[in-house]
Amino acid sequence: MKFGGTSMAGTERIRRVANIVRKQQAAGHQVAVVVSAMAGETDRLVNFCREANPLYDPAEYDVVVASGEQVTSGLLALTLQAMGCRARSWLGWQLPIHTAEAHAKARIMDIDAETLIEAMEGGEVAVIPGFQGLSAEGRITTLGRGGSDTSAVAVAAALKADRCDIYTDVDGVYTTDPRIVARARKLKYVTYEEMLELASVGAKVLQTRSVSLAMKEGVRVQVLSSFIDEDAPPADDLPGTMIVSDDEMEGLQMESQLVTGIAHDKNEARVVLTRVPDKPGAVSHIFSPLAEAAINVDMIIQNVGRDKGETDVTFTVPQADLARAQAMLEDKREAIGFNRIITDSKVAKISVVGVGMRSHAGVAATMFRALADRGINVQAISTSEIKISVLIDEDETELAVRVLHTAYGLDADEPAE
Amino acid sequence: MKFGGTSMAGTERIRRVANIVRKQQAAGHQVAVVVSAMAGETDRLVNFCREANPLYDPAEYDVVVASGEQVTSGLLALTLQAMGCRARSWLGWQLPIHTAEAHAKARIMDIDAETLIEAMEGGEVAVIPGFQGLSAEGRITTLGRGGSDTSAVAVAAALKADRCDIYTDVDGVYTTDPRIVARARKLKYVTYEEMLELASVGAKVLQTRSVSLAMKEGVRVQVLSSFIDEDAPPADDLPGTMIVSDDEMEGLQMESQLVTGIAHDKNEARVVLTRVPDKPGAVSHIFSPLAEAAINVDMIIQNVGRDKGETDVTFTVPQADLARAQAMLEDKREAIGFNRIITDSKVAKISVVGVGMRSHAGVAATMFRALADRGINVQAISTSEIKISVLIDEDETELAVRVLHTAYGLDADEPAE
């Protein structure tokens, strides 16, 4: 079980969490719990580090920020004990959770789970601070912001857990954002790959790394709300969304669905370089420097140029990197040989995602027809095996999501409450 | 060097601390720094534990409260690095600082200082969180409130340091409380035993345990202020008070002083049991139960009783324990056989302390004469090899301290600024 910062913010909320944990144990499960720091605490600690040293040493940064999860893990163990439930905390260096060297963005290599399994078999709840591990040099590491989801999946994998329940402030994964589409439906199941595509296009429920790890390790992850009724029965009837493998999904023999969900992302920006020489190597002059600067280019389109031997190149980058990308391209103007840079951050990416696409044609055709019917102009397209994304005017985001949700037959019979 | 919570309260103050540390290193010293948590932080964490579980498990309490020093040690290392000074933090479990099992009041057994010495010889400042250690079972321990002074002395002993500088919010040890006597003098030197006697009678500058440990390990401890001028030269001219052994004190060949200092303590309460049977074993009926309840009885006087075969017994206990002591004595009324309990918490203990007493007579006589001359009534007396204490009316505390300070020739020529 994993609980985020909002669920751990203060002793009263920790008591709620302990109650949920206790019920799972009472229902006969052996339980390990991974916790985040109290909401706001990691920001406070990061600010201290920035004030102390703007160019901070990531090793010392890790010493400071890892303390937030240390506190909540001790407090949850104490709270469980107060309820008569045996529990102890296991810090990252105690298990240990071995990580690769990179401080502040470490990767979990391996978890020594033997002692943990022994304690759990003895009836003790194991409480583990998320986000932290131990380097080969014996120093504290942290996994990067949001790393507690990844800790939870890694612990579940090490324990060969039946399930990894991730409690968040939403009660599951929806066919689309319920704030946009009242008839959005909560998905009972979603595959790892669908979840990755949904996460990478803005439907952030879990940290992407945690989903990749779950897929690699075959950990069944359930997303559910920590703000459920405390007196409700334990979560064995799977009230959230279960993230499973393709095989398990097939075994469920549910009615095959072409599209699982519709995601949107307003954090992209469009860049157009006009009159780029249409010759071999020209495009690599554009994208190599961006890649070196770790600017993630998503959609790329090469328009037919107005003049012979020239072409317009359109692509998208994260809005946060737009200024940096623009400066970098201006620097390389001579090498690339373009005429103008046109940028537009008022764009949105709309994606339809579903493993059903693999075996069904016509998904793209439905999308373009539905958008065209409402006069929504498509500025760019990109596709993967289980996803089709289009770039549109940001103002048309909500309209496009609603139109597509209906077009693919995702609307629930009743609007959500 | 050790810095307390007030000196570490916030990044701006930590910068001041880093500046003081950097200068010591620049002056050619190898430096290890022991730090407390930010002022108020340990209280915050202790409150969390109490809220989570009033009967908290000390092992989990230690996990939570040790985080305060972890944060400040990381921040001081970062701040030193920002000044171009190589530094790293060494947590209690990393060195490790081995402690005996008792969580929340652990005792330091041993410190593996080899790696530390190596790092310091390589020119790195070692930053060590105070108050924490590692149990034989591999869990975090803490030393009890104020334990960072003890950590500092233990680290100094393990490093065979030339000196252990403890930076506090006072600039040294005075002949008496300068708020009472304007002509109090700062002592350049004081012996361990004098320091212990002064601390135990209310002149708290250092944690008593840290002084005992320094005496046992022969660590030269200097008490000085962390609020010195940042631009002042490094503290090699010993601006504070140096705590040394009897031998070193003798070697200093200073003019022999009968009395080193005058301490006062308003936290005692007087208890009188009237008409206790004057027979063997009667007194043990009084003091055995108090000892078992860990109530510290200080002064004891047996007055001659008014009736034959009976006596009045007077003693003092800490004010905080008075109610508990009284209830316990009422419980044992039959076994003890007293008539009445009279208590008075409006008393003060005044002590004159000095190693000079060992070789000089007349110290007590001077005390009684000086007090009698001003009409101050002595209610009880206790003595040790280097201390004489009297119990008086609390209202006469300041008068008594001033009178004795003058009587023993301790007044400075000029009042302090």
Side-chain angles (χ1 to χ4, degrees):
Chain A
M1 306 175 77
K2 184 260 169 180
F3 293 89
T6 318
S7 313
M8 300 300 290
T11 43
E12 199 37 63
R13 293 205 179 167
I14 293 176
R15 217 182 309 278
R16 287 183 64 95
V17 165
N19 235 331
I20 298 172
V21 170
R22 194 178 53 82
K23 275 184 196 156
Q24 286 290 349
Q25 203 195 31
H29 295 292
Q30 288 173 18
V31 185
V33 189
V34 172
V35 296
S36 297
M38 292 190 192
E41 183 64 10
T42 305
D43 285 338
R44 190 177 79 104
L45 295 167
V46 169
N47 277 341
F48 279 144
C49 291
R50 289 203 182 122
E51 281 171 28
N53 189 341
L55 303 165
Y56 49 73
D57 170 11
E60 297 299 343
Y61 165 94
D62 284 351
V63 168
V64 175
V65 297
S67 68
E69 282 75 12
Q70 178 171 327
V71 168
T72 47
S73 58
L75 290 178
L76 179 57
L78 287 170
T79 309
L80 284 164
Q81 291 171 359
M83 293 178 176
C85 190
R86 285 177 50 223
R88 80 156 269 198
S89 63
W90 296 88
L91 303 180
W93 57 269
Q94 284 173 329
L95 282 174
I97 295 176
H98 297 288
T99 62
E101 246 3 72
H103 280 286
K105 48 185 179 185
R107 295 200 161 264
I108 294 177
M109 306 289 283
D110 170 46
I111 298 179
D112 282 356
E114 246 173 78
T115 348
L116 203 59
I117 290 170
E118 214 170 283
M120 288 168 68
E121 281 174 349
E124 203 175 63
V125 173
V127 184
I128 300 154
F131 179 58
Q132 63 178 239
L134 184 71
S135 76
E137 289 173 349
R139 302 202 65 182
I140 292 179
T141 54
T142 65
L143 308 184
R145 296 304 294 268
S148 290
D149 287 347
T150 306
S151 299
V153 171
V155 167
L159 293 173
K160 301 192 188 356
D162 298 323
R163 217 167 69 220
C164 176
D165 283 354
I166 299 198
Y167 289 80
T168 66
D169 46 7
V170 297
D171 64 349
V173 180
Y174 278 76
T175 48
T176 195
D177 186 341
R179 287 167 301 182
I180 294 179
V181 180
R183 289 179 188 269
R185 282 187 296 110
K186 189 168 78 185
L187 295 162
K188 251 190 129 44
Y189 294 90
V190 67
T191 69
Y192 298 120
E193 282 169 291
E194 286 172 335
M195 192 67 200
L196 281 172
E197 292 290 8
L198 289 168
S200 68
V201 290
K204 283 246 183 280
V205 178
L206 297 181
Q207 208 205 10
T208 309
R209 274 167 69 190
S210 68
V211 181
S212 304
L213 184 64
M215 179 160 78
K216 178 167 162 271
E217 299 284 345
V219 175
R220 299 175 75 234
V221 175
Q222 182 180 204
V223 175
L224 69 178
S225 170
S226 59
F227 295 99
I228 52 168
D229 179 5
E230 267 186 271
D231 302 318
D236 258 350
D237 54 340
L238 305 180
T241 298
M242 186 69 84
I243 310 172
V244 298
S245 66
D246 282 7
D247 287 352
E248 184 171 349
M249 189 64 115
E250 273 175 33
L252 292 166
Q253 296 183 311
M254 298 193 300
E255 192 184 346
S256 182
Q257 193 91 36
L258 267 181
V259 165
T260 306
I262 318 283
H264 67 279
D265 181 3
K266 294 182 177 178
N267 297 314
E268 295 274 304
R270 187 176 56 132
V271 180
V272 183
L273 297 183
T274 64
R275 303 181 64 182
V276 177
D278 191 7
K279 61 180 183 194
V283 169
S284 84
H285 283 305
I286 301 173
F287 297 114
S288 301
L290 293 174
E292 277 161 29
I295 295 172
N296 198 24
V297 173
D298 184 16
M299 300 165 142
I300 301 175
I301 303 165
Q302 211 165 326
N303 302 62
V304 176
R306 278 156 299 189
D307 297 320
K308 212 177 157 181
E310 287 180 345
T311 179
D312 289 354
V313 177
T314 302
F315 56 90
T316 61
V317 296
Q319 257 177 47
D321 293 329
L322 179 58
R324 212 153 54 91
Q326 203 165 348
M328 185 159 292
L329 291 166
E330 288 286 7
D331 257 12
K332 305 271 175 187
R333 177 186 281 272
E334 298 244 333
I336 304 170
F338 62 86
N339 180 28
R340 288 175 61 200
I341 299 185
I342 303 162
T343 64
D344 184 2
S345 57
K346 271 206 66 199
V347 293
K349 184 164 70 169
I350 312 293
S351 305
V352 299
V353 174
V355 284
M357 285 186 205
R358 285 203 188 110
S359 45
H360 289 81
V363 176
T366 304
M367 185 175 197
F368 301 139
R369 194 179 322 115
L371 294 173
D373 280 353
R374 303 301 289 258
I376 298 170
N377 186 37
V378 172
Q379 303 176 8
I381 303 167
S382 75
T383 61
S384 79
E385 213 187 356
I386 64 164
K387 181 190 73 173
I388 307 171
S389 301
V390 296
L391 199 70
I392 63 170
D393 188 309
E394 192 183 287
D395 289 342
E396 295 174 319
T397 307
E398 286 74 16
L399 176 63
V401 169
R402 281 192 207 107
V403 162
L404 294 173
H405 201 264
T406 305
Y408 289 108
L410 296 174
D411 291 352
D413 296 337
E414 298 286 331
E417 284 160 40
Chain B
M1 307 175 76
K2 184 258 167 179
F3 294 89
T6 317
S7 313
M8 300 299 291
T11 42
E12 199 36 63
R13 292 203 180 169
I14 293 176
R15 218 182 308 278
R16 286 184 64 93
V17 166
N19 235 332
I20 297 172
V21 170
R22 194 177 54 81
K23 275 184 198 159
Q24 286 290 348
Q25 203 196 30
H29 295 292
Q30 289 171 19
V31 185
V33 189
V34 172
V35 296
S36 296
M38 293 190 190
E41 182 65 10
T42 306
D43 285 339
R44 188 176 81 104
L45 296 168
V46 169
N47 278 341
F48 279 144
C49 290
R50 289 204 181 120
E51 282 172 28
N53 188 342
L55 302 165
Y56 49 72
D57 169 11
E60 296 299 343
Y61 165 94
D62 284 351
V63 168
V64 175
V65 297
S67 67
E69 282 75 12
Q70 178 172 327
V71 168
T72 46
S73 58
L75 290 178
L76 179 56
L78 286 171
T79 309
L80 284 164
Q81 291 171 359
M83 293 177 175
C85 190
R86 284 176 51 219
R88 81 156 268 197
S89 63
W90 296 88
L91 303 180
W93 56 269
Q94 284 173 328
L95 281 175
I97 296 175
H98 297 288
T99 62
E101 245 3 78
H103 280 285
K105 48 185 180 188
R107 293 197 164 267
I108 294 177
M109 307 288 284
D110 170 45
I111 297 179
D112 282 355
E114 246 173 79
T115 348
L116 203 59
I117 290 171
E118 213 170 284
M120 288 168 67
E121 281 175 349
E124 203 175 63
V125 173
V127 183
I128 300 155
F131 178 58
Q132 64 178 237
L134 184 71
S135 76
E137 290 173 348
R139 300 202 65 183
I140 292 178
T141 54
T142 65
L143 309 185
R145 295 304 293 269
S148 290
D149 287 348
T150 306
S151 298
V153 171
V155 167
L159 294 174
K160 304 192 188 358
D162 298 323
R163 216 168 68 220
C164 174
D165 284 354
I166 299 198
Y167 288 79
T168 66
D169 45 7
V170 299
D171 64 350
V173 181
Y174 278 76
T175 49
T176 195
D177 186 342
R179 286 167 303 183
I180 294 179
V181 179
R183 288 179 189 269
R185 282 188 295 111
K186 190 167 76 186
L187 295 162
K188 249 188 130 49
Y189 294 90
V190 66
T191 70
Y192 299 120
E193 282 170 292
E194 286 171 335
M195 192 66 200
L196 281 172
E197 292 290 9
L198 289 168
S200 69
V201 289
K204 284 246 184 280
V205 178
L206 297 181
Q207 209 205 8
T208 309
R209 275 167 67 191
S210 69
V211 181
S212 305
L213 184 64
M215 179 160 77
K216 179 169 161 271
E217 300 283 347
V219 175
R220 300 174 76 234
V221 175
Q222 182 180 204
V223 174
L224 69 178
S225 170
S226 59
F227 295 100
I228 52 169
D229 180 7
E230 270 188 88
D231 301 319
D236 259 349
D237 54 341
L238 305 181
T241 299
M242 185 69 83
I243 309 172
V244 298
S245 66
D246 282 7
D247 287 352
E248 183 170 351
M249 188 64 115
E250 274 176 33
L252 292 166
Q253 295 182 311
M254 299 192 301
E255 192 184 346
S256 182
Q257 193 91 36
L258 268 182
V259 166
T260 304
I262 318 282
H264 68 280
D265 180 4
K266 294 182 175 180
N267 297 315
E268 296 274 304
R270 189 175 53 131
V271 179
V272 183
L273 298 183
T274 65
R275 304 182 62 183
V276 178
D278 190 7
K279 60 180 185 196
V283 169
S284 83
H285 284 304
I286 301 173
F287 297 115
S288 300
L290 293 174
E292 277 161 28
I295 295 172
N296 199 26
V297 173
D298 183 17
M299 300 166 143
I300 302 175
I301 303 163
Q302 211 165 328
N303 302 63
V304 176
R306 279 154 299 186
D307 297 321
K308 216 179 153 177
E310 287 179 344
T311 180
D312 290 354
V313 177
T314 302
F315 56 89
T316 61
V317 296
Q319 258 178 44
D321 294 329
L322 179 58
R324 213 152 54 91
Q326 204 165 348
M328 185 159 293
L329 292 166
E330 288 287 5
D331 257 11
K332 306 271 176 188
R333 177 184 283 271
E334 297 245 335
I336 304 169
F338 61 87
N339 181 28
R340 288 175 61 202
I341 300 184
I342 303 162
T343 64
D344 184 2
S345 58
K346 271 205 67 199
V347 293
K349 185 165 67 170
I350 313 291
S351 305
V352 300
V353 174
V355 285
M357 288 186 204
R358 284 201 189 113
S359 44
H360 290 80
V363 176
T366 303
M367 185 174 199
F368 301 139
R369 193 179 321 116
L371 293 173
D373 281 353
R374 302 300 288 256
I376 298 170
N377 186 37
V378 171
Q379 302 177 8
I381 303 167
S382 74
T383 61
S384 78
E385 212 185 357
I386 64 163
K387 181 190 73 173
I388 307 171
S389 302
V390 295
L391 199 70
I392 63 170
D393 187 309
E394 191 183 287
D395 289 341
E396 295 174 320
T397 308
E398 287 74 16
L399 176 62
V401 169
R402 281 192 206 108
V403 162
L404 293 173
H405 200 263
T406 305
Y408 289 108
L410 295 174
D411 292 353
D413 296 338
E414 300 285 331
E417 284 159 39

